[in-house]
Amino acid sequence: MIPMLKNQKVRNTVQQVLFVGGLAGLVLCGILIARKNLAAQGMTAGFDFLWKSTGWDVNFSLLPASANDPYWWFFLIGILNTLFLGTTGLVLATVFGTIVGLARTSKNELANLLGRTYVDIFRNIPIILQLFFWFAIITHLPAPRAARGVAGFVLSSRGFYLPIPNVAAPAFVAAAFALIAAIALPIWLGRTSQLQRPFGERGTIQLAATAVALALAVVILLVGHASGTPFLDIPALQGLNLRGGLRVSPEFTALSIAMAIYGGSYIGEIVRGGFLSVGKGQVEAANALGLSGWQIFSLIRLPLAMRAMLPILTNQYVWLIKATTLGIAVGFTDFFMIVALAINHAGQTIESIGILMGGFLAINLSLAAIFNRINKAIALKGNQLRGQE
Amino acid sequence: MTVPGPAAPALQIVGLNKYYGPLHVLRDVNLTVRRGEKIVVCGPSGSGKSTMIRCINRLEEHSSGTIIVLGTELNDDVGNIDEIRREVGMVFQHFNLFPHMTVLENCALAPMLVRKVPQAEAEAAARRYLEKVRIPEQAMKYPGQLSGGQQQRVAIARALCMRPEIMLFDEPTSALDPEMISEVLDVMVTLASEGMTMICVTHEMNFARRVADRILFMDRGEIVEEAVPDTFFTAAKNERTRQFLSQILKH
């Protein structure tokens, strides 16, 4: 026995078995103690509460919700709210970040200065402070009856109102899919090697695909439009409040702005770093071949910068998704706030927090998995060190 | 002074000066290159030889003087710059291939985008040039999967695909392992024998002896010696040239 322990493999196995066994024992002890203490206080552990109706309501939901709905339905609403806010925040932050990053790498001194100032200010103030700032600004806007709108878009203390087509929900979803296709089709067409066409013609085909998808979206909206009503439902003052249109609550607006601007300052730096990492040599070679500025940007600099950005961008996106939990600070019913309310009302703290953590793990691991796959798919082949300065 | 059309010399440089801030890197350079002529430029590092050939296709902007390429003056006119870049191919020390594109895409890209050649035609031409540089079998690989010598030959094929009138070589073998130098030089010798106008910055003196019509020696931003190979190696007039030659031919 003793001489066997001198064998490296045996030793490694024994160590691992001892470690895993110890850890399992610790967790088991914890669970047993918790159960004993909960039982002593007359509380029952378990997930039965998920099927009880909540008795309280949420202020924002993409699905129908009422106080009679069970807890599991509210948790689902919370996850959807978090995903909705997260997606909005990520998309806006990416748009802001791209603009700022490009401004910072441009040769234009003014754009450079503006970009740098933006990053310096918004990266160095805690996001929760920024959130309160934007929330305060929105809630101090003029009341609906005093607010002035532009083309049906109204910013007031009750939130952000925008015109919305008078369209049935299924048609709306279909149109959304057509819009996604309008973005995804040209990307897919660009990647497929079946398209034996010069780059110029390929661009035309991509544009045509986008145009067709957009036209389809418009047609779907026109067909799905409820007859007898105006096509656009424009917010208008009725009494003391605005009626009609889509109302984006002050909470959601403030959270989106805060995530977009704070996230944009980080993503801007990532974009800048990505473009700086593109070798000068490749750009010189493209110039020497006579490629135009736009061709060099879209075919050489951007694809190479993307490859440098993506791994760091994944980190930033995961971080921003977690920032949606700030919803509780301004009263937006994101996943975290709904779980907090559930704990207050139903008292199943450990189970609820378990569900919350599981939910965030599932969201962020899926996000990371998707980005890692893209990253792998576009990774440069072979050894990149050779011939680099 | 400008002779238009096909009668114009390949390259005329008159009174070229270039400054980097206070640094005067090219001093009153004059050079005329006939069509089909092969020029080798050598000199110690920092002597301005790379800067000079990078001025010819506007990778560097010259401060004063005139550069006329194939009868077109190189100035701030974007149309002129584009026209000259279409006709002047360049091979770099560090290859500078596009790492996210296959060898074939690297070669076919510019003809398709700049010369508007249909894809099938551009790819067929690319395969012909890859055959010429003796790596047709690597067409579908990515640059990172090739050796340095192979990458440099792809870079030469990429430049040739634009069917340039003039080829510029900026130390094409300096970044290569010794055993790969000759495979690149062989391609360049073939190219020279076919009548391409070539301006090569290189320290490969055997190549210079074999191929060059004229050898230029540059030092501190000036062309201090200009001679046919025989004279250059045996009877250089300038003291600095003789010193440089004795240093690089010592071994």
Side-chain angles (χ1 to χ4, degrees), chain A residues 86-98 256-257 259-261 264 267:
Chain A
T87 314
T88 312
L90 290 197
V91 170
L92 290 177
T94 308
V95 171
F96 275 60
T98 309
S256 306
I257 295 176
M259 280 176 73
I261 290 185
I267 292 174

Side-chain angles (χ1 to χ4, degrees), chain A residues 48-301:
Chain A
D48 295 338
F49 76 102
L50 284 177
W51 281 266
K52 288 183 197 145
S53 62
T54 56
W56 41 274
D57 211 346
V58 289
N59 62 17
F60 180 93
S61 173
L62 296 169
L63 300 170
S66 77
N68 295 326
D69 287 322
Y71 274 92
W72 68 266
W73 181 247
F74 270 43
F75 284 163
L76 185 68
I77 286 169
I79 288 186
L80 282 179
N81 284 356
T82 284
L83 281 177
F84 185 59
L85 173 63
T87 314
T88 312
L90 290 197
V91 170
L92 290 177
T94 308
V95 171
F96 275 60
T98 309
I99 294 169
V100 171
L102 288 177
R104 290 210 63 185
T105 46
S106 87
K107 289 188 192 107
N108 185 321
E109 298 269 340
L110 181 65
N112 238 311
L113 180 71
L114 286 175
R116 198 166 63 240
T117 313
Y118 174 95
V119 170
D120 280 347
I121 292 176
F122 292 108
R123 201 174 54 166
N124 292 313
I125 298 173
I127 183 171
I128 190 161
L129 259 175
Q130 296 189 32
L131 173 61
F132 283 141
F133 175 74
W134 297 118
F135 189 61
I137 284 193
I138 291 167
T139 47
H140 284 83
L141 285 170
R145 71 192 139 78
R148 295 277 172 277
V150 178
F153 291 85
V154 186
L155 257 174
S156 78
S157 61
R158 294 260 303 127
F160 181 39
Y161 289 80
L162 56 162
I164 189 173
N166 255 327
V167 166
F172 219 65
V173 173
F177 274 110
L179 276 181
I180 292 171
I183 300 169
L185 263 178
I187 297 173
W188 179 77
L189 285 172
R191 288 191 60 82
T192 177
S193 54
Q194 305 298 317
L195 208 62
Q196 289 293 318
R197 293 282 158 72
F199 284 87
E201 277 180 50
R202 196 181 288 187
T204 317
I205 293 175
Q206 287 169 325
L207 267 181
T210 304
V212 168
L214 284 178
L216 192 66
V218 172
V219 168
I220 291 173
L221 287 179
L222 285 175
V223 170
H225 157 233
S227 54
T229 56
F231 180 64
L232 274 183
D233 186 10
I234 296 168
L237 199 61
Q238 250 180 40
L240 289 179
N241 215 340
L242 288 160
R243 298 269 173 248
L246 180 73
R247 171 178 168 256
V248 185
S249 68
E251 295 84 18
F252 189 86
T253 313
L255 277 162
S256 306
I257 295 176
M259 280 176 73
I261 290 185
Y262 181 79
S265 68
Y266 277 89
I267 292 174
E269 288 298 271
I270 295 171
V271 170
R272 170 167 165 260
F275 277 96
L276 288 182
S277 80
V278 176
K280 257 194 191 147
Q282 274 70 34
V283 177
E284 280 185 351
N287 269 318
L289 286 166
L291 267 57
S292 71
W294 168 248
Q295 290 166 340
I296 295 174
F297 176 80
S298 61
L299 293 167
I300 312 293
R301 291 179 63 211

Side-chain angles (χ1 to χ4, degrees), chain B residues 103-114:
Chain B
V103 164
L104 195 68
E105 286 168 338
N106 263 280
C107 292
L109 181 73
M112 283 162 66
L113 291 177
V114 181

